[in-house]
Coordinates of all heavy atoms in Angstrom, one line a residue:
D24 N 80.4 -42.3 3.6 CA 79.1 -42.7 3.2 C 79.0 -44.2 3.0 O 78.0 -44.9 3.3 CB 78.6 -42.0 1.9 CG 78.4 -40.5 2.1 OD1 78.2 -40.1 3.3 OD2 78.5 -39.8 1.2
E66 N 81.4 -56.8 3.6 CA 80.3 -57.6 4.2 C 79.7 -56.9 5.4 O 78.5 -56.9 5.6 CB 80.8 -59.0 4.7 CG 81.1 -59.9 3.6 CD 81.5 -61.3 4.1 OE1 81.9 -61.4 5.3 OE2 81.5 -62.2 3.4
I97 N 101.4 -56.9 20.3 CA 100.8 -57.1 21.6 C 99.5 -57.9 21.5 O 99.3 -59.0 22.2 CB 100.5 -55.8 22.3 CG1 101.8 -55.2 22.8 CG2 99.5 -56.0 23.5 CD1 101.7 -53.7 23.2
R223 N 119.9 -69.0 6.6 CA 120.6 -69.9 7.6 C 121.3 -71.1 6.9 O 122.4 -71.4 7.2 CB 119.6 -70.3 8.6 CG 120.3 -71.3 9.6 CD 120.9 -70.6 10.8 NE 121.8 -69.5 10.6 CZ 123.1 -69.6 10.6 NH1 123.7 -70.8 10.7 NH2 123.8 -68.5 10.4
T386 N 114.7 -73.4 -21.3 CA 115.0 -72.9 -22.6 C 115.7 -74.0 -23.5 O 115.3 -74.2 -24.7 CB 115.9 -71.7 -22.6 OG1 115.2 -70.7 -21.9 CG2 116.2 -71.2 -24.0
R399 N 117.7 -68.2 -30.2 CA 116.5 -67.8 -30.8 C 115.3 -67.9 -29.8 O 114.4 -67.0 -29.7 CB 116.2 -68.6 -32.0 CG 114.9 -68.3 -32.8 CD 114.9 -66.8 -33.2 NE 113.6 -66.5 -33.9 CZ 113.2 -65.2 -34.0 NH1 113.8 -64.2 -33.5 NH2 112.0 -65.0 -34.7
R420 N 95.2 -51.4 -12.5 CA 96.3 -51.8 -11.7 C 95.8 -52.1 -10.3 O 94.8 -51.5 -9.8 CB 97.4 -50.8 -11.5 CG 98.2 -50.6 -12.8 CD 99.3 -49.5 -12.6 NE 100.2 -49.4 -13.7 CZ 101.3 -50.0 -13.8 NH1 101.7 -50.8 -12.9 NH2 102.1 -49.9 -14.9
G433 N 114.6 -49.5 5.3 CA 115.9 -50.0 5.7 C 116.2 -51.3 5.1 O 117.3 -51.6 4.6
R437 N 119.2 -52.1 2.2 CA 120.1 -53.2 2.3 C 120.1 -54.1 1.0 O 121.1 -54.4 0.4 CB 119.9 -54.1 3.5 CG 120.9 -55.2 3.7 CD 120.5 -56.1 4.9 NE 121.6 -56.8 5.5 CZ 122.0 -58.0 5.1 NH1 121.4 -58.6 4.1 NH2 123.1 -58.6 5.6
E457 N 119.2 -42.9 -2.9 CA 118.1 -41.9 -2.9 C 117.1 -42.2 -1.8 O 116.6 -41.3 -1.2 CB 117.4 -42.0 -4.3 CG 118.2 -41.5 -5.4 CD 117.6 -41.8 -6.8 OE1 116.5 -42.4 -6.8 OE2 118.3 -41.5 -7.8
L501 N 127.4 -48.4 2.7 CA 128.8 -48.0 2.9 C 129.8 -48.9 2.2 O 130.8 -48.5 1.8 CB 129.1 -47.8 4.4 CG 128.6 -46.6 5.1 CD1 128.7 -46.7 6.6 CD2 129.3 -45.3 4.6
R506 N 130.6 -42.9 2.1 CA 130.2 -41.5 2.4 C 130.2 -41.3 3.9 O 129.5 -42.0 4.6 CB 128.7 -41.2 1.9 CG 128.6 -40.0 1.1 CD 127.2 -39.8 0.4 NE 126.0 -40.3 1.1 CZ 124.8 -40.1 0.7 NH1 124.6 -39.4 -0.5 NH2 123.8 -40.5 1.3
T615 N 136.9 -57.8 8.9 CA 136.7 -56.5 8.5 C 137.9 -56.0 7.7 O 139.0 -56.0 8.1 CB 136.5 -55.6 9.7 OG1 135.4 -56.0 10.5 CG2 136.2 -54.1 9.3
R619 N 142.2 -48.4 1.4 CA 142.5 -47.0 1.2 C 143.3 -46.8 0.0 O 144.2 -47.5 -0.3 CB 143.2 -46.4 2.4 CG 142.6 -46.5 3.8 CD 141.2 -45.7 3.8 NE 141.3 -44.4 3.3 CZ 141.6 -43.3 4.1 NH1 141.9 -43.4 5.3 NH2 141.6 -42.1 3.5

Side-chain angles (χ1 to χ4, degrees):
D24 292 338
E66 288 180 345
I97 288 168
R223 176 90 309 264
T386 302
R399 179 58 180 161
R420 290 176 174 271
R437 186 186 200 270
E457 290 169 6
L501 281 166
R506 227 171 38 174
T615 301
R619 299 299 309 273

